Each structure stands twice: as C-alpha cells, then as structure tokens.
Amino acid sequence: MIKISEDFCNTTTHVIIGKGSVSSLSEIIGDKKVALYYSRKLNVDKVKENLKNYYEFPMDDGEEVKDILYSLKLIRELFEKGFDRGDYVIAVGGGTVTDVVGFIASIYMRGLNLINIPTTLLGMVDAAIGGKTGVNFENVKNVLGTFYQPSFIISDIEFLETLPLEEIKKGMAEVIKYGLVLDKELYDYLAMHKDEIYSKEPEALETVVYKSALNKLAVVKEDERETKGIRIVLNFGHTIGHAIEAGSNFRIPHGYAISVGMVCEAKIAEEMGYAEEGVVEDTTWMLTHYELPITIDSLKENIDLRKAIEALTKDKKVRGGKVLMPFPTRIGNWKKVEVPLETLKGFAEQCLK
Ligand SMILES: NC(=O)c1ccc[n+]([C@@H]2O[C@H](COP(=O)([O-])OP(=O)(O)OC[C@H]3O[C@@H](n4cnc5c(N)ncnc54)[C@H](O)[C@@H]3O)[C@@H](O)[C@H]2O)c1
C-alpha cells in the first residue's frame, strides 16, 4: 500500500492506494458513526466489513445524481439519522457519486468528515482528489459547488476489476494529460506500459493512480482555490473539450472530448509559437496508443459547431475578451497564455469541423 499526505488550508488529506486498501478504514474510523453512501451498482461488502457503526444509503450514479434536489434527498437522510459534525460521511463510487456526496458533506452543518473511496479510474486519478465538489444546474455542469477537502481518499485498485475497459480509457485521458503538461517521467512510463495498464495489472494501475495523485495534489496544494493561475494547468484540453461536450449535447463522454481537446489545444500552442516542434506529434501518438480519439470524426457523434463555439464564449475562463489557457511547451512543461477569444474561435472552428 502507498500512502501520501498533503496539507491544505483547513485539512490534511491522506491518500491510501493499493489492492485491499479499504481495510485501512477500520483503523481510521474505529466505532465512529458513519453515513455510507455508495452506488447501488457496486458490491461494497468489503467496505462494510471494516465499519462498526454505520447507516447505509445506496444511491444512483451518473450525471442525474449531480442535482440539487437529489442532494436534498441525501441531506434529509443525514438529518433524520441525527448526524452531526463529529461524524463521518463516506462516498463510494465514480466521480458523480464523490462530487454530490462531497457537496452534501461540505454543506450539512458546515461540514462533516469526508472520506472518498473512488471506484473508477477517473475518480482515483482526478475526481476524488482536490476538493472540488459540485452538482449541475439547468443543464450546465458544476454550477453549484464548494471547495472541500476529504480527510482520506482510499483508492482500492480491486474496484477496477469490474470496471469496463471503456471507462478505464476515459480515465487514461486525464492521466495522459498529467504526463503531457506536468510529468515527463509519467509520459515515458505510459509509453512503455499500455498493455499492463489495459490488462489491469495491479502494479501498473497502482503506479498510474499514485503518479496521477502526486501530480494533482501538488498542483492543488499550490493553488487550492484556483486563484493563482496554477490550478488552471489541470484544464489542458478542457476548453476545447468542454466545447465538444456542449456541441454534442453531452452525448460525447468527457474523457473522449478532452482527448480531442488536447490535440486541438496542442496544435494551437504550436501554431502560436508556444509549443516546441514535436509536441503535437507526441500528444497525438500517446492518445492514439491508448486508443483514444484525436479527431471529431473518430468520435462518431455529430457536433453542433455553433453550440460548441457558443460554449467557448461562455467559458468560465474568459475575461475581457481573452481566455486563459494552459499550453504545453514541451512534454512535461506548460505555460499560461491569454488567448484572444476571436483567435481561439478561429482555431476551434478549424479543429472541430
Ligand atoms: N471534482 C472534480 O475535481 C472532478 C474532476 C473530474 C471529473 N469530475 C466529475 O466526475 C464525473 C465523472 O466521473 P466517472 O467517470 O467516474 O463517472 P460515473 O460516476 O458516472 O461512473 C462511470 C460509470 O462507471 C460505473 N462504475 C463505477 N465504479 C465501477 C466499478 N468499480 N465497476 C464497474 N462499474 C463501475 C458507474 O456505475 C457508471 O456507469 C463527472 O460528473 C465529472 O464532472 C469531477
């Protein structure tokens, strides 16, 4: 088992990674009172085995649960069972479950102790880490949310045994992102270990989860509230990626949209003279190697170009007609650049048609 700890403003977050790591729960929780929220699709017997004093709340998962009314339903359960600030909330599931349960844990009585147990690769490498919680509103993602760090993140690789390969691929898009803009060593590791990762060898998955967690924690530690222009690096591929998601009415999964988004944004970086020659080629090679889409055509879904471009205009990072974007400069390095919105739209139109 691998353990990492990071201090944030108000909390220390401990990350425990490895096969069978949920067994550490018994020592962490003892006989404290726990609200155990979990996706009802999952078998969570091994989580329950390590708890003594808990109420279980099986729930749905998917984007529909990231909803304010659904959050109130979960909060009512906490209220009716008399939970208070000394108690624990545990979220077991993919990113949708940890996002909504994190949200309710942060607002109920101004915050209960939160433990995330991600069960998808995307959750283990990204969604469960970093303290962003949130639900969607009026069909726009994550409009309502909080920054709230979990006290523990337990990434038990055993959960990935039942995760379909398609879901592993979606998580790998975010892992490749870390390699491209933050971590050349991770990039090199990924170049060599695709077969082990896609055949779900525990050692390879552990390495990927560990290296990703280190990268994300380091960035969040520097800029927890996204005010210093550092956390923005995690958005590489996401400006165009979000436009693709919006242009497809969210039929294109996030992981695939950012995969194409990374290629487009790397091309823009190269054409604007920020990326060294070869960055686009290396980006494209790695995503193709991991069987991820690199063009709109390969997504096999129609994109409404007008809607996609409109989403760019509404992007949270647009300020005074400019968009703040993280561009790769060479593998494992990046630079923050202000791109005029009109320039970005021009590049995006070329990329997305
Ligand atoms: N808070 C953040 O910083 C952050 C970062 C990235 C993404 N997100 C959010 O995460 C969400 C996406 O996360 P996700 O891809 O995990 O989605 P998800 O929760 O919908 O899970 C994807 C699918 O995997 C299934 N599943 C989960 N665990 C499984 C397992 N062990 N075995 C078999 N099937 C399993 C689920 O039932 C679901 O069908 C989005 O809402 C996104 O906005 C949040």
Side-chain angles (χ1 to χ4, degrees):
M1 259 184 319
I2 308 169
K3 296 186 185 178
I4 320 167
S5 296
E6 193 66 84
D7 293 324
F8 295 106
C9 285
N10 303 313
T11 322
T12 300
T13 296
H14 305 278
V15 186
I16 307 174
I17 300 161
K19 221 172 166 205
S21 53
V22 287
S23 65
S24 54
L25 267 179
S26 58
E27 202 179 310
I28 296 165
I29 303 274
D31 54 9
K32 294 196 194 83
K33 185 171 159 187
V34 171
L36 174 64
Y37 288 95
Y38 59 92
S39 159
R40 66 175 95 251
K41 292 186 196 157
L42 300 173
N43 180 340
V44 295
D45 288 351
K46 59 187 179 181
V47 176
K48 293 184 201 168
E49 276 163 22
N50 288 286
L51 300 174
K52 288 190 187 129
N53 177 14
Y54 67 93
Y55 289 93
E56 55 182 298
F57 304 114
M59 57 182 281
D60 302 325
D61 63 13
E63 287 301 317
E64 308 82 68
V65 303
K66 289 182 56 170
D67 175 75
I68 192 69
L69 294 179
Y70 199 86
S71 308
L72 293 178
K73 180 170 125 59
L74 303 183
I75 286 174
R76 186 168 298 284
E77 293 170 339
L78 287 175
F79 189 67
E80 284 174 356
K81 295 286 188 276
F83 275 84
D84 64 39
R85 294 188 72 180
D87 301 328
Y88 277 76
V89 168
I90 300 183
V92 190
T96 56
V97 171
T98 51
D99 270 11
V100 66
V101 175
F103 178 60
I104 63 152
S106 72
I107 59 174
Y108 180 80
M109 298 205 173
R110 300 205 176 86
L112 301 190
N113 300 298
L114 172 66
I115 298 183
N116 280 340
I117 305 187
T119 62
T120 59
L121 183 64
L122 183 82
M124 293 182 189
V125 301
D126 190 3
I129 312 171
K132 279 190 181 177
T133 80
V135 296
N136 307 329
F137 187 68
E138 299 286 355
N139 220 15
V140 184
K141 287 198 62 169
N142 307 321
V143 171
L144 308 172
T146 55
F147 287 100
Y148 191 71
Q149 300 295 346
S151 45
F152 285 86
I153 300 160
I154 301 176
S155 294
D156 191 332
I157 303 297
E158 226 169 275
F159 276 114
L160 301 180
E161 283 169 12
T162 54
L163 193 70
L165 185 60
E166 280 305 300
E167 294 298 329
I168 299 271
K169 286 185 188 172
K170 292 175 198 166
M172 282 310 295
E174 298 286 358
V175 177
I176 291 170
K177 175 193 76 181
Y178 296 130
L180 289 172
V181 282
L182 289 167
D183 189 343
K184 165 89 164 59
E185 221 180 276
L186 174 57
Y187 181 94
D188 291 341
Y189 178 87
L190 295 177
M192 305 286 294
H193 292 87
K194 177 199 158 192
D195 291 346
E196 294 92 315
I197 295 168
Y198 277 1
S199 57
K200 299 189 187 171
E201 283 184 18
E203 212 183 297
L205 290 174
E206 254 179 54
T207 304
V208 160
V209 172
Y210 169 65
K211 286 178 181 285
S212 301
L214 277 185
N215 277 298
K216 181 145 187 195
L217 286 168
V219 168
V220 176
K221 162 99 179 152
E222 290 296 308
D223 186 12
E224 196 174 342
R225 299 271 164 144
E226 221 164 47
T227 51
K228 299 179 186 160
I230 299 169
R231 193 165 176 160
I232 190 188
V233 63
L234 302 174
N235 273 323
F236 173 52
H238 285 59
T239 305
I240 301 285
H242 285 156
I244 294 172
E245 285 180 279
S248 76
N249 276 330
F250 294 93
R251 280 190 313 270
I252 293 172
H254 177 77
Y256 297 163
I258 64 147
S259 178
V260 176
M262 285 191 278
V263 176
C264 289
E265 291 182 18
K267 280 185 182 161
I268 300 172
E270 205 168 87
E271 284 187 37
M272 289 183 79
Y274 292 103
E276 278 178 7
E277 211 186 311
V279 166
V280 173
E281 205 178 314
D282 291 345
T283 303
T284 309
W285 180 83
M286 186 64 88
L287 292 166
T288 311
H289 186 54
Y290 277 84
E291 300 160 34
L292 284 159
I294 52 163
T295 59
I296 289 290
D297 281 350
S298 54
L299 289 169
K300 298 190 188 87
E301 279 282 355
N302 287 331
I303 299 265
D304 180 337
L305 190 60
R306 192 191 48 81
K307 252 190 177 164
I309 299 295
E310 192 183 301
L312 281 181
T313 315
K314 290 191 181 143
D315 194 289
K316 288 197 283 276
K317 296 175 295 301
V318 178
R319 300 263 188 291
K322 290 183 175 156
V323 192
L324 208 51
M325 294 179 71
F327 278 157
T329 48
R330 56 178 194 279
I331 297 304
N333 290 271
W334 69 287
K335 184 180 170 57
K336 183 173 63 180
V337 177
E338 272 191 338
V339 185
L341 183 59
E342 290 310 312
T343 311
L344 179 64
K345 281 186 187 171
F347 280 122
E349 269 172 22
Q350 279 174 34
C351 234
L352 301 183
K353 67 181 180 213

